[in-house]
């Protein structure tokens, strides 16, 4: 009997299983029997992050029609496309998509019955969809494949490169398998030195500090009503915490006739003091569809462009060599939508504009002149610098000036993202998504300098992408405004710094947005998701393999810099774990997929018809696994391989 272990049963493990089911008929011989062990203490489908057991206040940041676990006609794969419904399509008629089973939670059933394609579903509803995806995938496996689900953790992995792999479960049970996939999802890490020092300060003075954490799992009860709380971070983790500290404590939002919201406090809320590097929340998601035809992406940053970059001599820098092409691609998506959907706001025919646009670099003066001539209103022009740092260079004399400015900024952003007259923003967003699929080829080839990988790829680019593309639903910004107006929340500004005052035992925050002003608080939350660092991983299995020298952190080095990304090194083409004990070669029996790897494909589900990188990675990994599992029994053949001198097994 041949066996495969997939460690991690969340969306990534489930997506890999779906691709195995899709290609099994082609690649797995009829006579071969395969057992797949799916290992995760959390429910299959949703896994840890998308399990049902979390607050019903927490929402997705994508519309229901923009969430799918299935490939489609736009997917570029070696394996077969197997279409399936998006979250919205499944919700509309669950009985039409077998295997049908009524959702147990009555609140989720009610939400599904009312869910519109453009709604932002609760995470509990997404959990129900992922549960169904898993059950459909399990039912699609051929009869010769047996699926065994183990609701516990895998705590150890051992075995030679040319021999069986031994997976040890938390219960002590051991599984002997031929191939192993680490689809571990989002992982936590032990505190950094800074976090540990802050925790020690908080403990000495009886204060509260929460380092980067998964919001749905955080214990927030120790923060009292009215207690001043600094939230360092303005992204999605902050949005979750905002909901938990307000509605989660009995407050209530009410809609006004003009589309804004008011907030009725319960009196149990802390005083929320929020700031970050940019000092503003992520741009909200658009609440509309494209008004014109989709742009034919990619145009400037596709496979051919990446081939040309890889052919250049020497090391590359993202901002110098790659970003101009990426920016031009985003601009193409933006202006394609503007010219096709809103031609009355343009002054040139599209064909004339595109011919001139094709001929110039994004940062060439001629491009700026072209846009000025073709797009009369500056509001309709794409300005990356203004988008990226809206508070840059601004300083306010009084805190209330900053509060009014931020409310105006947030109102304008929420209004724009809700108005299809500005659908060019969605065109830019879709082009931005297309870029993500090309970057792994450059990063996996090790062509970026260490400094560019650290400061630009894992620093600026990831932050910029999240700021523009991973924001909350628009109604969350309306709620943020209501909390500000109610005095429950105060804005602190950009480039926030927080210090610890031993004399008073308090946290103190200040920002150049408000020179000379400082706020004091008795609680501090680092309101962003934990970034996995392999050397500090909380995952017992990964930690054991790292100690044994059987996997390594991605390290990018050049004569001037060395950058340790904290990510697990893999071959990004198929997910093979790069093993130092094998001279850095891909381990023939171990793969890893997901956000803890240098594949840098963080989303396990995707927007339909976007040729999602995660789906392509899953397909390549599934076919690699099936080919290995279809070979003559690798465990029985080990002796022959060793006699032939082909083994790479450790002593």
């Amino acid at each position: 009997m041949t066996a495969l272990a997939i460690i991690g049963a969340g969306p990534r493990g489930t997506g890999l299983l779906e691709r195995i089911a899709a290609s099994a008929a082609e690649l797995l011989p009829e006579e071969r029997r395969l057992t797949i062990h799916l290992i995760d203490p959390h429910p299959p489908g949703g896994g840890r992050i998308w399990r049902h057991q979390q607050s019903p206040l927490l929402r997705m940041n994508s519309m229901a029609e923009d969430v799918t676990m299935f490939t489609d006609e736009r997917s570029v794969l070696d394996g077969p496309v197997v279409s399936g419904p998006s979250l919205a399509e499944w919700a509309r008629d669950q009985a039409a998509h077998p295997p049908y089973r009524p959702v147990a939670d009555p609140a989720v059933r009610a939400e599904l019955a009312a869910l519109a394609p453009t709604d932002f579903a609760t995470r509990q509803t997404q959990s129900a969809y992922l549960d169904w995806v898993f059950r459909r995938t399990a039912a699609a496996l051929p009869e010769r494949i047996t699926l065994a689900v183990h609701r516990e953790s895998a705590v150890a992995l051992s075995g030679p490169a040319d021999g069986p792999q031994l997976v040890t479960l938390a219960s002590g049970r051991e599984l002997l398998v031929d191939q192993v996939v680490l689809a571990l999802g989002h992982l936590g890490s032990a505190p950094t030195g800074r976090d540990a020092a802050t925790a020690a300060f908080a403990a000495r003075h009886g204060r509260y500090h929460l380092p980067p954490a998964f919001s749905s799992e955080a214990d927030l009860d120790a923060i009292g009503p009215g207690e001043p709380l600094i939230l360092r971070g303005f992204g999605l983790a902050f949005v979750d915490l905002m909901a938990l500290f307000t509605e989660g404590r009995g407050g209530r939002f009410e809609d006004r006739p003009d589309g804004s919201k008011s907030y009725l406090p319960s009196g149990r809320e802390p005083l929320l003091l929020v700031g970050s590097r940019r000092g503003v929340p992520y741009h909200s998601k658009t609440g509309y569809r494209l008004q014109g035809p989709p742009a034919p992406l990619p145009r400037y940053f596709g496979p051919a462009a990446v081939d040309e970059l890889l052919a250049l001599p020497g090391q590359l820098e993202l901002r110098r060599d790659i970003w101009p092409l990426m920016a031009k691609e985003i601009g193409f998506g933006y202006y394609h939508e503007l010219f096709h959907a809103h031609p009355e706001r343009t002054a040139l025919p599209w064909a004339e504009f595109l011919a001139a646009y094709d001929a110039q670099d994004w940062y060439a003066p001629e491009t700026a002149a072209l846009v000025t001539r073709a797009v009369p209103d500056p509001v309709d022009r794409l300005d990356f610098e203004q988008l990226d740092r809206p508070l840059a260079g601004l300083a306010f004399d009084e805190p209330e000036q900053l509060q009014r400015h931020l409310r105006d900024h947030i109102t304008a952003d929420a209004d724009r993202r809700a108005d299809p007259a500005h659908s060019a923003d969605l065109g830019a967003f879709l082009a931005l998504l297309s870029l993500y699929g090309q970057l792994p080829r450059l990063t996996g080839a090790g062509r970026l300098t260490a400094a560019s990988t650290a400061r630009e790829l894992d620093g600026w680019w990831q932050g910029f992408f999240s700021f523009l593309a991973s924001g909350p639903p628009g109604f969350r910004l309306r709620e943020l405004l209501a909390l500000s107006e109610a005095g429950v929340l105060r804005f602190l500004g950009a480039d926030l710094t927080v210090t610890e005052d031993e004399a008073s035992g308090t946290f103190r925050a200040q920002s150049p947005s408000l020179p000379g002003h400082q706020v004091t608080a008795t609680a501090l939350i680092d309101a962003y998701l934990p970034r996995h660092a392999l050397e500090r991983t909380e995952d017992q299995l990964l930690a054991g393999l790292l100690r044994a020298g059987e996997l390594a952190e991605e390290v990018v080095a050049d004569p001037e810099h060395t950058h340790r990304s904290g990510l697990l090194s893999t071959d990004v083409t198929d997910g093979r774990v790069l093993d130092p004990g094998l001279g850095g070669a891909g381990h023939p029996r171990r793969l890893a997929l997901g956000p803890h790897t240098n594949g840098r494909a963080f989303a396990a589900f995707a927007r339909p018809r976007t040729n999602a990188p995660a789906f392509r990675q899953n397909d390549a990994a599934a076919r690699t696994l099936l080919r290995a599992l279809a070979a003559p029994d690798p465990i029985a053949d080990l002796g022959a391989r060793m006699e032939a001198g082909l083994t790479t097994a450790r002593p």
Side-chain angles (χ1 to χ4, degrees):
M1 175 71 75
T2 306
L4 163 67
I6 301 176
I7 303 174
R12 174 64 80 160
T14 298
L16 175 64
L17 191 67
E18 188 277 332
R19 290 287 80 205
I20 291 172
S23 287
E26 174 191 351
L27 298 178
L28 193 68
E30 284 287 341
E31 68 276 7
R32 181 59 50 90
R33 295 293 181 263
L34 171 64
T35 296
I36 300 178
H37 298 280
L38 191 62
I39 305 164
D40 197 317
H42 301 288
R48 174 185 180 184
I49 300 299
W50 297 98
R51 66 192 188 279
H52 179 268
Q53 297 301 322
Q54 57 185 301
S55 171
L57 296 173
L58 302 181
R59 297 264 181 169
M60 302 189 72
N61 68 326
S62 295
M63 294 189 296
E65 67 180 8
D66 291 339
V67 177
T68 188
M69 283 286 288
F70 297 101
T71 54
D72 53 48
E73 72 280 2
R74 294 288 300 275
S75 302
V76 180
L77 310 166
D78 291 329
V81 167
V82 180
S83 61
S86 67
L87 169 58
E89 291 165 338
W90 174 75
R92 186 165 58 244
D93 191 359
Q94 298 161 59
H97 301 291
Y100 172 68
R101 185 174 71 193
V103 173
D105 188 324
V108 174
R109 287 203 306 272
E111 182 184 350
L112 285 167
L115 191 68
T118 54
D119 284 347
F120 292 83
T122 65
R123 293 184 199 166
Q124 289 185 336
T125 290
Q126 172 68 354
S127 180
Y129 172 65
L130 293 172
D131 170 72
W132 171 79
V133 171
F134 167 74
R135 290 187 288 108
R136 170 179 145 153
T137 298
L141 291 168
E143 288 188 5
R144 63 185 183 278
I145 298 181
T146 300
L147 180 64
V149 176
H150 305 270
R151 288 289 300 274
E152 56 179 313
S153 298
V155 297
L157 172 62
S158 61
D162 275 350
Q165 304 295 291
L166 188 68
V167 179
T168 303
L169 305 183
S171 63
R173 183 180 178 186
E174 295 180 333
L175 304 173
L176 199 64
V177 300
D178 300 287
Q179 296 281 328
V180 179
V181 183
L182 306 177
L184 301 170
H186 293 275
L187 297 171
S189 303
T192 64
R194 187 191 78 169
D195 290 335
T198 303
F201 169 85
R204 283 196 304 274
H205 297 281
R207 305 306 190 189
Y208 181 94
H209 171 244
L210 181 68
F214 299 106
S215 305
S216 62
E217 300 175 357
D219 182 0
L220 307 175
D221 292 342
I223 300 176
E227 182 173 3
L229 164 63
I230 295 169
L231 291 140
R232 180 163 50 188
F234 225 154
L236 295 182
F238 161 77
V239 171
D240 288 349
L241 291 163
M242 180 186 81
L244 295 172
F245 279 125
T246 55
E247 283 186 290
R249 292 196 173 189
R252 191 170 78 253
F253 292 100
E254 293 187 345
D255 294 328
R256 293 170 174 155
D258 63 357
S260 65
K261 292 179 179 288
S262 61
Y263 182 68
L264 303 178
S266 68
R268 297 167 53 208
E269 304 89 346
L271 174 61
L272 306 177
L273 306 166
V274 57
S276 65
R277 184 172 66 87
R278 290 186 180 89
V280 298
Y282 284 6
H283 289 285
S284 73
K285 285 291 179 67
T286 56
Y288 45 74
R289 302 182 177 103
L290 287 176
Q291 305 300 294
L297 300 168
R299 186 177 181 89
Y300 307 106
F301 191 65
V306 174
D307 288 341
E308 291 180 8
L309 287 167
L310 291 173
L312 293 174
Q315 294 292 96
L316 302 173
E317 294 184 9
L318 188 142
R319 293 297 291 264
R320 181 192 68 196
D321 303 309
I322 305 170
W323 169 245
L325 294 173
M326 298 166 69
K328 191 172 182 179
E329 191 79 270
I330 300 170
F332 171 67
Y334 180 90
Y335 289 116
H336 184 280
E337 174 68 7
L338 181 68
F339 275 74
H340 286 81
H342 313 288
E344 72 281 359
R345 306 210 305 266
T346 65
L348 289 178
W350 168 247
E352 182 179 341
F353 175 86
L354 183 59
Y357 188 82
D358 278 341
Q360 303 296 336
D361 293 335
W362 173 258
Y363 285 106
E366 292 84 356
T367 301
L370 171 68
V371 170
T372 299
R373 182 162 56 96
V375 184
D377 191 342
V379 171
D380 288 326
R381 300 173 194 160
L382 183 60
D383 185 338
F384 288 118
E385 284 66 31
Q386 177 60 29
L387 280 172
D388 192 20
R389 297 301 298 269
L391 294 184
L394 298 181
F396 301 89
D397 296 327
E398 298 293 334
E400 287 309 314
Q401 291 179 326
L402 175 64
Q403 308 309 305
R404 288 192 296 271
H405 181 86
L406 263 292
R407 284 196 290 267
D408 289 345
H409 170 85
I410 294 167
T411 299
D413 183 64
D415 288 347
R416 181 176 176 116
R417 295 303 179 107
D419 185 354
H422 295 288
S423 63
D425 291 348
L426 180 56
F429 167 80
L430 294 174
L432 190 69
L433 289 186
S434 76
L435 305 177
Y436 233 87
Q438 307 302 328
L439 283 174
R441 288 185 59 206
L442 292 165
T443 59
R447 291 300 305 279
L448 292 185
T449 67
S452 180
T453 303
R455 293 197 297 263
E456 298 174 347
L457 177 66
D458 291 339
W460 169 79
W461 162 248
Q462 187 56 46
F464 181 72
F465 178 89
S466 297
F467 181 57
L468 291 188
S470 296
F475 74 85
R476 289 298 195 199
L477 294 193
R478 306 290 186 193
E479 293 175 351
L480 178 61
L481 290 167
L483 294 173
S484 173
E485 292 170 356
V488 174
L489 181 145
R490 302 279 293 175
F491 304 114
L492 299 182
D495 295 315
L496 187 73
T497 59
V498 180
T499 57
E500 298 147 13
D501 183 66
E502 286 287 353
S504 62
T506 58
F507 300 102
R508 299 193 172 185
Q510 57 187 6
S511 160
S513 302
L514 271 174
H517 290 266
Q518 190 177 78
V519 298
T520 300
T522 51
L524 169 66
I525 291 179
D526 287 311
Y528 46 92
L529 296 177
R531 189 185 185 102
H532 186 245
L534 186 59
E535 75 278 5
R536 294 184 286 106
T537 184
E538 293 179 345
D539 185 83
Q540 188 174 345
L541 185 149
L542 284 182
L545 291 175
L546 184 64
R547 286 192 302 270
E550 296 181 26
L551 50 74
E553 176 184 6
E554 179 192 51
V555 178
V556 183
D558 55 48
E560 297 183 0
H561 298 91
T562 297
H563 170 56
R564 307 181 70 89
S565 69
L567 301 172
L568 173 61
S569 286
T570 67
D571 181 337
V572 297
T573 61
D574 62 7
R576 288 288 179 197
V577 173
L578 301 184
D579 189 335
L582 303 177
H587 196 291
R589 294 178 178 272
R590 298 175 184 172
L591 283 76
L593 301 169
H596 63 293
T597 76
N598 61 334
R600 291 180 172 83
F602 296 99
F605 42 83
R607 193 183 184 101
R609 292 173 291 283
T610 57
N611 191 26
F615 294 174
R616 301 204 306 269
Q617 288 180 357
N618 288 347
D619 188 71
R623 293 176 71 82
T624 294
L625 288 165
L626 286 168
R627 288 191 183 98
L629 294 165
D633 189 346
I635 295 177
D637 194 43
L638 178 59
R641 288 176 59 82
M642 293 181 70
E643 289 179 9
L646 298 176
T647 182
T648 53
R650 295 179 181 82

